[in-house]
Amino acid sequence: MKIKVDHHSDIPVYKQIVVAIKDMILANELIEGEALPSVRKLAINLGVNPNTIAKVFFILQSEGYVDSKPGIGYYVAKPPPSSIEKRLMDLDDAMRRIILKMKRFALSEEEINKRFSAIMEGVFENERNRS
Amino acid sequence: MSVIEVKDLSKTYKNGVEALKGISFNVTEGSIFAILGPNGAGKTTTLKSILGAIKPTSGEVLTLGKIPFPNGVKKVSFVPEEKSLYEWVKIPEMVKIFASFAPNFSPKKFEILSKRLNLTMKRKIGELSQGNRTKLYVALAFAQDVKLYVLDEPTWGLDPIIRKEVLDIVRENAIVGKTVVYSSHILSEVEEVCDELIILKEGKILYNGTLDKLKESNKLNLSESFLEMIKGGEK
């Protein structure tokens, strides 16, 4: 499992890992039923303490992203139907912040729109070229 | 479960220096616990009290359920701040001397650790650089199979690669359920490994809790929080 952890961020490490695993599940990179590595293995892999991973699994389970079976360990569950929408709202919020930042430089609505469209076009163009 | 319980601990030295002014904290079993603070904050005095090396002026300390002063506590391993050993002996002899009194010491484990830390074995202790002394102490400490490791500045003088190795060793021990208490003034390093911490200043506790909680409540990373607290006390 590849997750980049920033120990020196103001966001606690457990939160960074929770978001990364949720995103992998929502993006179907981790498939329902797939076994997750053990607490110990993931702790060693990511270079974090076992307590941190235990907390991550606890949160993921309480929110319905993973489940556990005795003797098997944690595996990917089917996340609640609203979870993608929730995650998109987080990203919307991130977008909102960027727009507010742009507004500080006295950009008009039209100018901001233009910039967004240009970036969107670039991203989708790249994707088309790749496929 | 708490491995260490400190309650209202005060220490005034004979020369009148008040090193600790009534501090209280608990250390959870299996955690990596950091003691932070500027020079003279009371870090080393706290560690010595946990080990039973000094007598508290008032208050209580329980280490692995026992009062550590004056007999010390078994199943505790220690890396001191002053990294001095028998200066005239060579490392393999020092290891033998150490093995003769240190509980649960494994020469084999020492060999593995000294290789990981890239420790030169042929020199006399007196010829070792500060960094090599630190390596030797860390290898000696972790070659003991004990419940609690107490480390005073365990990365003093180490280059970044070996420092990372030491942090890995600390983490590996936590993974198998050992408790590590350590003091450091290198915040970025502490931020990489610790679960819980206290921040000391002038013998008092400014923060006592988990690293996660500190970040969540301050919306700052460890270095920023630390500076804010230390400076905040000066206003």
Side-chain angles (χ1 to χ4, degrees):
Chain A
M1 202 179 273
K2 265 194 183 161
I3 296 170
K4 218 176 162 201
V5 171
D6 178 5
H7 286 281
H8 308 301
S9 159
D10 58 356
I11 299 164
V13 167
Y14 83 88
K15 267 195 182 163
Q16 298 177 33
I17 302 172
V18 164
V19 170
I21 295 181
K22 276 185 183 175
D23 280 0
M24 283 192 256
I25 293 172
L26 293 178
N28 266 329
E29 290 157 17
L30 287 174
I31 301 151
E32 193 184 335
E34 196 174 332
L36 290 166
S38 69
V39 168
R40 190 187 275 216
K41 249 193 196 154
L42 195 54
I44 294 170
N45 266 348
L46 302 183
V48 303
N49 299 354
N51 289 347
T52 304
I53 301 296
K55 195 167 170 182
V56 165
F57 284 168
F58 177 80
I59 292 169
L60 289 173
Q61 186 167 22
S62 68
E63 293 185 14
Y65 285 81
V66 308
D67 213 338
S68 69
K69 268 187 200 149
I72 292 176
Y74 288 95
Y75 60 91
V76 178
K78 196 185 171 102
S82 59
S83 22
I84 286 207
E85 194 46 44
K86 256 194 208 159
R87 180 62 176 136
L88 286 177
M89 270 163 68
D90 286 346
L91 296 176
D92 283 347
D93 192 49
M95 223 153 37
R96 191 178 62 89
R97 274 169 224 234
I98 290 171
I99 293 170
L100 286 175
K101 269 186 197 162
M102 286 183 161
K103 269 189 75 189
R104 264 182 70 198
F105 306 126
L107 288 186
S108 69
E109 190 180 335
E110 200 185 330
E111 280 166 314
I112 293 175
N113 226 329
K114 237 192 210 166
R115 285 179 173 268
F116 261 93
S117 306
I119 291 168
M120 285 244 290
E121 260 170 47
V123 168
F124 285 101
E125 179 76 43
N126 277 341
E127 221 150 76
R128 271 194 295 274
N129 288 344
R130 232 178 284 147
S131 59
Chain B
M1 201 201 111
S2 293
V3 174
I4 297 169
E5 291 170 53
V6 173
K7 218 172 137 193
D8 281 328
L9 174 67
S10 292
K11 175 69 188 177
T12 305
Y13 286 104
K14 277 180 187 158
N15 59 9
V17 172
E18 280 184 83
L20 296 175
K21 300 168 185 167
I23 64 167
S24 301
F25 63 90
N26 288 344
V27 177
T28 315
E29 184 172 21
S31 69
I32 302 174
F33 188 96
I35 299 180
L36 307 180
N39 292 337
K43 301 189 293 283
T44 296
T45 302
T46 307
L47 293 182
K48 281 183 178 168
S49 307
I50 290 168
L51 293 163
I54 55 172
K55 189 183 179 187
T57 306
S58 63
E60 283 169 32
V61 180
L62 281 181
T63 304
L64 299 177
K66 297 209 170 70
I67 296 170
F69 186 83
N71 295 323
V73 184
K74 279 181 191 164
K75 300 207 169 167
V76 178
S77 173
F78 177 44
V79 173
E81 185 185 31
E82 288 269 327
K83 286 152 184 87
S84 53
L85 288 155
Y86 294 135
E87 299 289 317
W88 59 91
V89 303
K90 285 188 178 165
I91 293 177
E93 294 168 68
M94 189 65 235
V95 174
K96 274 185 202 155
I97 296 168
F98 199 81
S100 68
F101 68 85
N104 294 345
F105 182 85
S106 156
K108 196 164 182 206
K109 222 169 152 193
F110 175 83
E111 206 187 304
I112 295 167
L113 287 164
S114 58
K115 272 188 193 140
R116 281 181 72 177
L117 298 172
N118 203 8
L119 177 66
T120 33
M121 297 295 283
K122 286 173 190 161
R123 300 251 174 87
K124 284 182 181 165
I125 307 290
E127 295 170 334
L128 295 181
S129 66
Q130 190 55 247
N132 273 317
R133 278 168 192 261
T134 302
K135 287 182 198 172
L136 174 58
Y137 257 113
V138 169
L140 287 171
F142 282 106
Q144 294 173 74
D145 185 11
V146 293
K147 283 189 169 171
L148 170 65
Y149 296 88
V150 178
L151 320 170
D152 201 351
E153 300 283 354
T155 56
W156 218 104
L158 299 181
D159 66 53
I161 294 164
I162 301 296
R163 182 177 292 167
K164 199 189 161 285
E165 201 64 40
V166 171
L167 297 186
D168 282 345
I169 292 168
V170 166
R171 203 177 280 127
E172 285 162 20
N173 277 280
I175 285 173
V176 295
K178 314 284 188 177
T179 308
V180 181
V181 173
Y182 99 87
S183 86
S184 176
H185 63 275
I186 305 168
L187 298 170
S188 61
E189 172 190 308
V190 170
E191 195 167 31
E192 281 180 40
V193 289
C194 87
D195 297 302
E196 304 172 6
L197 68 148
I198 54 172
I199 296 177
L200 287 173
K201 191 194 171 190
E202 291 164 5
K204 286 185 188 155
I205 289 184
L206 298 184
Y207 180 79
N208 175 9
T210 64
L211 178 62
D212 289 342
K213 223 185 257 167
L214 180 74
K215 289 189 172 186
E216 276 166 354
S217 53
N218 292 355
K219 302 258 182 281
L220 297 172
N221 72 15
L222 179 60
S223 307
E224 293 159 346
S225 295
F226 180 85
L227 286 175
E228 189 134 293
M229 281 183 194
I230 297 292
K231 280 186 186 157
E234 277 166 12
K235 269 173 202 162

